[in-house]
Amino acid sequence: MTLPEPGIGLLGSVGSRPVLGLVAPERENALLLGIIEAVSNGPEVEPMAAAVARLITDATTTDVCFVHVLDDTERSLTLAGATPPFDRQVGRIRLPFGSGVTGWVASHHEPAVIVEHKESDPRYLPIPALRGTEFTSMASVPMATEPAGLVGVLNVHTVARRVFTDRDLRLLLVIGRLVAGALHQARMHRQLAARERAHERFTEQVIAAQETERRRLAADIHDGISQRLVSLSYHLDAVGQVLRDAPADAAEQLTLARELVDLTLDEARVAIAGLRPPVLDDLGLAGGLASLARTAPQLEVSLDLADQRLPEHVEIALYRIAQECLQNIAKHAHASTAWVRFAVQGCTARLEVTDDGVGFEVGADIDTGADAVADTSSGYGMRSMAERAELVGGELTVISQPGAGTTIVATVSIN
């Protein structure tokens, strides 16, 4: 570590009171050991910032210390550590760059000192929760390190009027540099942990969506194809019994068996399309949506479709959402007309499905809405569509009122 001046310690004393800038070696060593201990106690940002705040007030004989750390957006600062009683505000105070003295220091990468009359300084922004009016003087310095750049801002305040010298600021800057690297690593650790949690949630959603799809297909095959094959076997058994004695009855049984074979083939094709809609490979999403509209003969479906190809996984997701929409309309909406619109504007794909049915009461958000209509959409509907949109980085919006129909909009960002 580079000391502010050769032969001068980090802290000193005038009379019996320790003062910033000049201090005995044992106090300097105690401060260094305290900082090392604080940054070595684990990768969590808040405990580290709290320990540093306590050390700084002790070392600088100031009354309070606030440690503001760059948040994950890198456009604002969050209070990550403070001396009591302000430690209760940790995580609650956020300051954009340029806002208040702290934001000014972050924007300019320069220290700031206010000796008195803070309210007259145009940079000062009162924060009632931090009770700034109770403190007269303050010093604010950036916490930065060469590899990471700005990591945060360090503020100290005193109740009594105090003139912070250049030597005082150099000390605060040294402390800031000492802890900046550790705080940067803690931020990186927090971001990595957040990404891992998001990845875990994403994996859970994928598995849940796959299992829901498998259950739906299993139910379709059990209720349709399997039952028809059982009936077909009964008819063939009957043909074997009456073929010689009653040829006319045998012919009737064979006709029924042929009809069952045709129905079973149709349902098998539907099940195959449920696993992977081949129409997307041949005609793209616009053709797939037009094909879906023809599978709802009980509805008059109006189409407005952009003939534009999207990444495969996005096309499948939007196709499935439209498929679920039309199925829900046919089963539950009591609608006569549906409108399907697909458009691409810039880097956003938008699918909109509207009906003139009975509608329903949508909750405050999509999750509430999904719960509210779970019973009327076979338990799979809204939640499944929202999950499909989320899995491709999009979102689902539900607009509905009782008696006023329903509109479902899926938007997905595309590159």
Side-chain angles (χ1 to χ4, degrees), residues 124-209:
Y124 180 69
L125 174 69
I127 302 174
L130 300 184
R131 292 158 33 191
T133 56
E134 298 180 14
F135 302 97
T136 303
S137 303
M138 68 172 293
S140 180
V141 300
M143 293 188 297
T145 182
E146 189 63 32
L150 181 74
V151 175
V153 173
L154 183 64
N155 294 343
V156 291
H157 298 256
T158 60
V159 174
R161 183 181 183 277
R162 179 165 175 172
V163 177
F164 291 94
T165 66
D166 290 343
R167 184 170 292 168
D168 298 337
L169 294 180
R170 284 201 299 272
L171 171 62
L172 289 172
L173 286 168
V174 168
I175 296 174
R177 284 197 297 271
L178 284 173
V179 301
L183 284 172
H184 174 68
Q185 293 300 320
R187 288 179 62 244
M188 296 299 101
H189 179 272
R190 182 176 62 189
Q191 291 173 6
L192 179 60
R195 291 192 189 100
E196 289 178 350
R197 289 193 297 271
H199 178 72
E200 290 173 358
R201 289 194 298 269
F202 179 80
T203 302
E204 291 171 358
Q205 289 176 340
V206 169
I207 293 172

Side-chain angles (χ1 to χ4, degrees), residues 275-288:
L275 291 170
R276 165 66 187 176
V279 68
L280 293 181
D281 294 329
D282 301 329
L283 302 177
L285 183 57

Side-chain angles (χ1 to χ4, degrees), residues 330-348:
K331 292 178 182 178
H332 310 294
H334 305 291
S336 60
T337 306
W339 294 264
V340 179
R341 303 178 182 90
F342 165 62
V344 179
Q345 295 181 342
C347 295
T348 302

Side-chain angles (χ1 to χ4, degrees), residues 67-105:
V67 181
H68 300 270
V69 175
L70 193 67
D71 65 16
D72 293 341
T73 67
E74 298 193 355
R75 294 191 297 270
S76 62
L77 297 148
T78 299
L79 182 64
T83 48
F86 302 104
D87 50 340
R88 293 192 295 268
Q89 303 302 324
V90 166
R92 299 180 180 180
I93 307 297
R94 286 183 171 81
L95 293 170
F97 278 19
S99 177
V101 176
T102 301
W104 185 91
V105 170

